[in-house]
mmCIF file with all atom_site columns, all heavy atoms in Angstrom:
data_model
loop_
_atom_site.group_PDB
_atom_site.id
_atom_site.type_symbol
_atom_site.label_atom_id
_atom_site.label_alt_id
_atom_site.label_comp_id
_atom_site.label_asym_id
_atom_site.label_entity_id
_atom_site.label_seq_id
_atom_site.pdbx_PDB_ins_code
_atom_site.Cartn_x
_atom_site.Cartn_y
_atom_site.Cartn_z
_atom_site.occupancy
_atom_site.B_iso_or_equiv
_atom_site.pdbx_formal_charge
_atom_site.auth_seq_id
_atom_site.auth_comp_id
_atom_site.auth_asym_id
_atom_site.auth_atom_id
_atom_site.pdbx_PDB_model_num
ATOM 1  N N   . ASP A 1 233 ? 13.820 32.918 10.632 1.00 0.00 ? 1114 ASP A N   1
ATOM 2  C CA  . ASP A 1 233 ? 14.514 32.507 11.741 1.00 0.00 ? 1114 ASP A CA  1
ATOM 3  C C   . ASP A 1 233 ? 13.782 31.602 12.691 1.00 0.00 ? 1114 ASP A C   1
ATOM 4  O O   . ASP A 1 233 ? 14.187 31.390 13.826 1.00 0.00 ? 1114 ASP A O   1
ATOM 5  C CB  . ASP A 1 233 ? 14.986 33.739 12.438 1.00 0.00 ? 1114 ASP A CB  1
ATOM 6  C CG  . ASP A 1 233 ? 15.945 34.630 11.703 1.00 0.00 ? 1114 ASP A CG  1
ATOM 7  O OD1 . ASP A 1 233 ? 16.610 34.093 10.775 1.00 0.00 ? 1114 ASP A OD1 1
ATOM 8  O OD2 . ASP A 1 233 ? 15.787 35.823 11.962 1.00 0.00 ? 1114 ASP A OD2 1
ATOM 9  N N   . CYS A 1 234 ? 12.733 30.926 12.256 1.00 0.00 ? 1115 CYS A N   1
ATOM 10 C CA  . CYS A 1 234 ? 11.976 29.954 13.105 1.00 0.00 ? 1115 CYS A CA  1
ATOM 11 C C   . CYS A 1 234 ? 12.820 28.710 13.389 1.00 0.00 ? 1115 CYS A C   1
ATOM 12 O O   . CYS A 1 234 ? 12.665 28.078 14.329 1.00 0.00 ? 1115 CYS A O   1
ATOM 13 C CB  . CYS A 1 234 ? 10.639 29.599 12.430 1.00 0.00 ? 1115 CYS A CB  1
ATOM 14 S SG  . CYS A 1 234 ? 9.348  29.195 13.662 1.00 0.00 ? 1115 CYS A SG  1
ATOM 15 N N   . TYR A 1 235 ? 13.602 28.372 12.391 1.00 0.00 ? 1116 TYR A N   1
ATOM 16 C CA  . TYR A 1 235 ? 14.345 27.127 12.479 1.00 0.00 ? 1116 TYR A CA  1
ATOM 17 C C   . TYR A 1 235 ? 15.946 27.350 12.407 1.00 0.00 ? 1116 TYR A C   1
ATOM 18 O O   . TYR A 1 235 ? 16.678 26.402 12.257 1.00 0.00 ? 1116 TYR A O   1
ATOM 19 C CB  . TYR A 1 235 ? 14.062 26.221 11.325 1.00 0.00 ? 1116 TYR A CB  1
ATOM 20 C CG  . TYR A 1 235 ? 12.550 25.713 11.473 1.00 0.00 ? 1116 TYR A CG  1
ATOM 21 C CD1 . TYR A 1 235 ? 11.533 26.319 10.664 1.00 0.00 ? 1116 TYR A CD1 1
ATOM 22 C CD2 . TYR A 1 235 ? 12.313 24.642 12.253 1.00 0.00 ? 1116 TYR A CD2 1
ATOM 23 C CE1 . TYR A 1 235 ? 10.267 25.837 10.784 1.00 0.00 ? 1116 TYR A CE1 1
ATOM 24 C CE2 . TYR A 1 235 ? 10.926 24.183 12.251 1.00 0.00 ? 1116 TYR A CE2 1
ATOM 25 C CZ  . TYR A 1 235 ? 9.946  24.826 11.510 1.00 0.00 ? 1116 TYR A CZ  1
ATOM 26 O OH  . TYR A 1 235 ? 8.657  24.373 11.639 1.00 0.00 ? 1116 TYR A OH  1
ATOM 27 N N   . THR A 1 236 ? 16.343 28.540 12.549 1.00 0.00 ? 1117 THR A N   1
ATOM 28 C CA  . THR A 1 236 ? 17.752 28.854 12.629 1.00 0.00 ? 1117 THR A CA  1
ATOM 29 C C   . THR A 1 236 ? 18.358 28.293 14.011 1.00 0.00 ? 1117 THR A C   1
ATOM 30 O O   . THR A 1 236 ? 17.590 27.952 14.900 1.00 0.00 ? 1117 THR A O   1
ATOM 31 C CB  . THR A 1 236 ? 18.053 30.316 12.494 1.00 0.00 ? 1117 THR A CB  1
ATOM 32 O OG1 . THR A 1 236 ? 17.340 31.008 13.332 1.00 0.00 ? 1117 THR A OG1 1
ATOM 33 C CG2 . THR A 1 236 ? 17.839 30.694 10.976 1.00 0.00 ? 1117 THR A CG2 1
ATOM 34 N N   . ASN A 1 237 ? 19.714 28.440 14.190 1.00 0.00 ? 1118 ASN A N   1
ATOM 35 C CA  . ASN A 1 237 ? 20.352 27.811 15.318 1.00 0.00 ? 1118 ASN A CA  1
ATOM 36 C C   . ASN A 1 237 ? 19.882 28.298 16.565 1.00 0.00 ? 1118 ASN A C   1
ATOM 37 O O   . ASN A 1 237 ? 19.696 27.534 17.555 1.00 0.00 ? 1118 ASN A O   1
ATOM 38 C CB  . ASN A 1 237 ? 21.886 28.155 15.189 1.00 0.00 ? 1118 ASN A CB  1
ATOM 39 C CG  . ASN A 1 237 ? 22.661 27.225 14.156 1.00 0.00 ? 1118 ASN A CG  1
ATOM 40 O OD1 . ASN A 1 237 ? 22.071 26.233 13.881 1.00 0.00 ? 1118 ASN A OD1 1
ATOM 41 N ND2 . ASN A 1 237 ? 23.736 27.650 13.821 1.00 0.00 ? 1118 ASN A ND2 1
ATOM 42 N N   . ASN A 1 238 ? 19.575 29.625 16.715 1.00 0.00 ? 1119 ASN A N   1
ATOM 43 C CA  . ASN A 1 238 ? 19.053 30.070 18.055 1.00 0.00 ? 1119 ASN A CA  1
ATOM 44 C C   . ASN A 1 238 ? 17.597 30.164 18.139 1.00 0.00 ? 1119 ASN A C   1
ATOM 45 O O   . ASN A 1 238 ? 16.947 30.532 19.353 1.00 0.00 ? 1119 ASN A O   1
ATOM 46 C CB  . ASN A 1 238 ? 19.561 31.516 18.279 1.00 0.00 ? 1119 ASN A CB  1
ATOM 47 C CG  . ASN A 1 238 ? 19.056 32.525 17.365 1.00 0.00 ? 1119 ASN A CG  1
ATOM 48 O OD1 . ASN A 1 238 ? 18.293 32.203 16.460 1.00 0.00 ? 1119 ASN A OD1 1
ATOM 49 N ND2 . ASN A 1 238 ? 19.604 33.782 17.404 1.00 0.00 ? 1119 ASN A ND2 1
#
Side-chain angles (χ1 to χ4, degrees):
D1114 300 328
C1115 210
Y1116 294 95
T1117 50
N1118 285 336
N1119 62 6

